[in-house]
Amino acid sequence: MSRRHVWGIGLVLLAVAVASVAVAAPPKDAMVVGLLAEPVTMDPPQITDLNSTRVIKRMFEGLTAQELGTYKIVPGLAQSWDISKDGLTYTFHLRPNVKFHDGTPLTAEAVKFCFDRQMNDQGPFYATGTYPYVKGFLGNVAGVEVVNPSTVQIRLKSPLTPFLQYLAHHSLYIYSPEALKKWGKDVVKHPVGTGPFKLETWEPGVRVVLTRNDQYWGGAPKIRQAIYVPIIEAQARLSAIKTGEIDMTMDVPPDSLQDLRKDPDVVVAEANSSAVWYVALNTRHPALKDKRVRQALNYAVQKDAIIRDILKGTAIVATTPLSPVYGPYHEDKTVRYPYDPEKAKALLKEAGYASGFDVTFFVPESGSGMQSPVG
């Protein structure tokens, strides 16, 4: 009997989460994945949602990549690179004989084309999309030059330590220039990358079917198809995993984990998540300008109760804005605010808000790490 798998992706909150997933053993030639929502676009630099990213990561690649399960940078479409002593010039040496799904070759010109599209607002293809990450990831780029067909050079305005990490982000994935020239704005429905899978069909609201790229430079995948099915309701996804309608799903509601762990046909995989739950305070608000009020809010939040009652133990109290998965960038010795309602009341009284104050509170209802929103 096959075993279905569930990724219950843990959260970090004022806590750091544990990721749980349920996954089922796939058929011999396909893997069916239950998504939380319909993908929005297949054009990498335009994507801002997690579900679209999950699909296009199978079809596209960047110059650099992250080692599976870590944030360590490893070669991607660039098999190696050199960095100048002043940290301003990055020279990337592309893998040989890599082709896009449309049969056109990966070249330094193709890499320059992809970056120029986002950076040059006067360019012929800039108007084919919107690029939410361009200022953050490419804003420090002074220029992209083709050295030869297999070598591209990127010059920075100032040294930027995380630049190699930026290049592994989906917004900087390399896609076929010929596909963009052919489809224009409709490229959102016609993705052409270099990855192990390529788009076969996309039936909006029904499913996305990716088929194996037998010419993939890294070797053809073992499965023939990766099928993504949008199932918005969490309980419907869990029903689908239990019946074998889908093989894998993510973001499992914490309330359901106990039952899933007891199911002999379901594998629950859990790992630390990079997600963090937090509250952002607008310090322009008359009351929130006062440090004592902000401290009072910290003392008033019973974080352990949130973890126990809402997240069912799938999180830990955060000590910094970064999850422990970020390794050396996480600090676990920071002094925490304990739950102390009396201290909170005293600080509010001292700040002149003994009777409280009015504030508008916005709660996201979807997105990475927000599978249990409470409005």
Side-chain angles (χ1 to χ4, degrees):
M1 180 179 291
S2 66
R3 304 189 73 194
R4 292 169 293 284
H5 306 284
V6 173
W7 270 107
I9 292 187
L11 338 168
V12 178
L13 156 81
L14 306 160
V16 172
V18 174
S20 318
V21 178
V23 182
K28 292 182 179 180
D29 63 349
M31 168 72 77
V32 184
V33 181
L35 292 177
L36 281 69
E38 172 79 6
V40 177
T41 173
M42 299 282 185
D43 186 15
Q46 299 196 63
I47 291 175
T48 58
D49 70 293
L50 185 58
N51 293 289
S52 296
T53 303
R54 283 172 171 159
V55 176
I56 65 102
K57 278 190 172 183
R58 310 282 79 80
M59 295 185 284
F60 292 92
E61 300 166 295
L63 291 178
T64 63
Q66 290 178 336
E67 184 178 69
L68 186 63
T70 75
Y71 289 93
K72 178 184 177 182
I73 287 297
V74 295
L77 291 178
Q79 62 182 356
S80 64
W81 51 83
D82 304 304
I83 305 174
S84 62
K85 290 183 178 181
D86 61 7
L88 298 179
T89 303
Y90 288 67
T91 304
F92 294 92
H93 308 284
L94 304 181
R95 293 183 184 276
N97 305 316
V98 175
K99 291 187 176 182
F100 292 103
H101 301 153
D102 58 8
T104 58
L106 169 72
T107 63
E109 285 285 359
V111 175
K112 176 177 171 56
F113 177 95
C114 293
F115 291 165
D116 283 351
R117 176 196 177 195
Q118 297 186 56
M119 295 189 297
N120 182 8
D121 59 8
Q122 300 301 312
F125 298 99
Y126 181 84
T128 56
T130 56
Y131 317 109
Y133 295 99
V134 64
K135 289 184 178 179
F137 289 167
L138 296 177
N140 192 42
V141 172
V144 181
E145 302 298 333
V146 172
V147 177
N148 59 51
S150 62
T151 308
V152 63
Q153 196 169 80
I154 301 177
R155 291 178 293 102
L156 304 183
K157 300 172 185 176
S158 60
L160 184 63
T161 300
F163 186 60
L164 291 175
Q165 287 280 357
Y166 289 173
L167 292 173
H169 189 267
H170 70 259
S171 65
L172 300 186
Y173 283 172
I174 309 303
Y175 45 86
S176 166
E178 296 307 313
L180 183 63
K181 293 173 185 177
K182 176 180 179 179
W183 297 107
K185 290 185 177 181
D186 284 341
V187 74
V188 297
K189 301 177 183 177
H190 301 279
V192 180
T194 59
F197 288 90
K198 52 188 176 181
L199 181 66
E200 180 177 310
T201 58
W202 182 5
E203 303 172 63
V206 181
R207 64 178 184 169
V208 176
V209 179
L210 307 185
T211 190
R212 180 171 54 209
N213 176 11
D214 290 323
Q215 281 70 51
Y216 180 54
W217 62 264
K222 294 181 179 180
I223 60 172
R224 183 175 60 86
Q225 290 182 323
I227 302 170
Y228 297 85
V229 181
I231 306 176
I232 298 174
E233 290 295 328
Q235 292 307 313
R237 288 197 306 278
L238 295 182
S239 175
I241 199 78
K242 285 177 171 290
T243 61
E245 179 183 344
I246 60 177
D247 302 309
M248 175 187 290
T249 189
M250 284 73 70
D251 298 324
V252 178
D255 287 343
S256 304
L257 286 175
Q258 190 67 12
D259 288 339
L260 288 170
R261 291 189 182 108
K262 296 177 182 177
D263 191 325
D265 297 325
V266 174
V267 174
V268 176
E270 298 176 275
N272 285 335
S273 166
S274 61
V276 177
W277 279 15
Y278 60 90
V279 176
L281 302 179
N282 180 5
T283 54
R284 293 182 179 180
H285 185 283
L288 297 176
K289 287 181 179 180
D290 194 311
K291 176 182 177 180
R292 294 167 296 184
V293 173
R294 299 195 300 272
Q295 290 177 324
L297 295 181
N298 272 287
Y299 284 118
V301 177
Q302 195 170 1
K303 305 175 187 72
D304 290 325
I306 293 174
I307 293 171
R308 181 186 66 243
D309 300 331
I310 298 178
L311 301 178
K312 306 302 179 184
T314 62
I316 61 175
V317 176
T319 56
T320 73
L322 294 179
S323 161
V325 301
Y326 290 104
Y329 303 103
H330 171 262
E331 174 57 69
D332 62 0
K333 298 180 181 179
T334 305
V335 177
R336 302 177 182 178
Y337 282 88
Y339 175 57
D340 190 339
E342 295 307 315
K343 178 72 171 178
K345 292 176 184 177
L347 284 169
L348 287 175
K349 182 177 181 180
E350 183 181 323
Y353 295 99
S355 299
F357 57 90
D358 293 328
V359 66
T360 301
F361 198 76
F362 295 97
V363 181
E365 295 183 354
S366 65
S368 176
M370 290 306 298
Q371 65 266 47
S372 299
V374 178

